[in-house]
Amino acid sequence: MKTDSDRKRKSDSVTSTDRAEKVKRKTEMSSSSVSGDKVRASHILIKHQGSRRKASWKDPEGDAICKRTKEDAVAQLKSLREDIVSGKADFKDVASRYSDCSSAKRGGDLGKFGRGQMQKPFEAATYALKVGEISDIVDTDSGSHIIMRTG
């Protein structure tokens, strides 16, 4: 016959095993990110009326952003992308001047990031690029972007 203390020991051991498994899985996931699954990218973000936040470092009140349509943002990004791809402009310089993201102060550099750290469309586009490639227009809840994978 099992006593209450026997049941408690069994329950404790299952709980400890479950916790150990969770820690192991979490460690494996984070080490896979560290072991090369991270990418590095820069981007140019143009916010518009549909963006989740209507303010930026260069438009703190969001006055211009609230007036900008998504179509206007996309048209601006297409033009900027054309200038970058043709060699007329440098990605970092364009990001510093036009991006609504605070990363503009670093030429659009977002640093390294792993899966699950960015919005899904942004992540998918970045991981699909080769180092040095520039994406087409990518739409997220933050606005419209062009992305350059840098690492």
Side-chain angles (χ1 to χ4, degrees):
M1 179 175 211
K2 291 188 178 183
T3 65
D4 285 341
S5 61
D6 291 334
R7 283 188 207 103
K8 181 165 178 21
R9 269 193 300 266
K10 183 177 180 184
S11 171
D12 287 347
S13 70
V14 169
T15 304
S16 296
T17 303
D18 290 344
R19 272 184 284 210
E21 271 303 309
K22 284 181 183 175
V23 168
K24 182 180 173 190
R25 280 192 302 264
K26 191 172 185 180
T27 302
E28 287 170 354
M29 286 173 61
S30 63
S31 66
S32 74
S33 291
V34 172
S35 67
D37 196 32
K38 289 193 174 192
V39 294
R40 184 173 190 147
S42 296
H43 77 135
I44 300 167
L45 166 67
I46 304 295
K47 292 185 174 191
H48 51 75
Q49 296 165 345
S51 299
R52 67 177 172 188
R53 291 191 192 105
K54 307 284 191 294
S56 76
W57 68 275
K58 63 182 200 175
D59 184 13
E61 301 300 317
D63 296 331
I65 293 167
C66 286
K67 295 174 187 165
R68 186 182 302 131
T69 66
K70 180 178 177 181
E71 293 75 19
D72 290 341
V74 168
Q76 182 179 10
L77 280 171
K78 283 182 179 179
S79 175
L80 294 172
R81 185 183 187 284
E82 220 173 84
D83 288 347
I84 294 165
V85 170
S86 72
K88 289 181 188 174
D90 177 71
F91 193 98
K92 287 181 182 181
D93 293 339
V94 172
S96 295
R97 184 167 179 198
Y98 293 101
S99 184
D100 284 316
C101 181
S102 61
S103 68
K105 297 168 187 153
R106 297 180 304 280
D109 183 22
L110 295 169
K112 287 187 176 185
F113 58 89
R115 294 195 183 273
Q117 292 184 277
M118 298 291 184
Q119 294 175 52
K120 292 228 182 272
F122 191 96
E123 176 185 299
T126 304
Y127 275 86
L129 294 170
K130 293 178 183 153
V131 174
E133 282 186 324
I134 298 174
S135 72
D136 287 325
I137 309 302
V138 177
D139 290 311
T140 69
D141 290 342
S142 298
S144 298
H145 314 249
I146 52 175
I147 305 163
M148 181 172 68
R149 183 163 171 180
T150 56

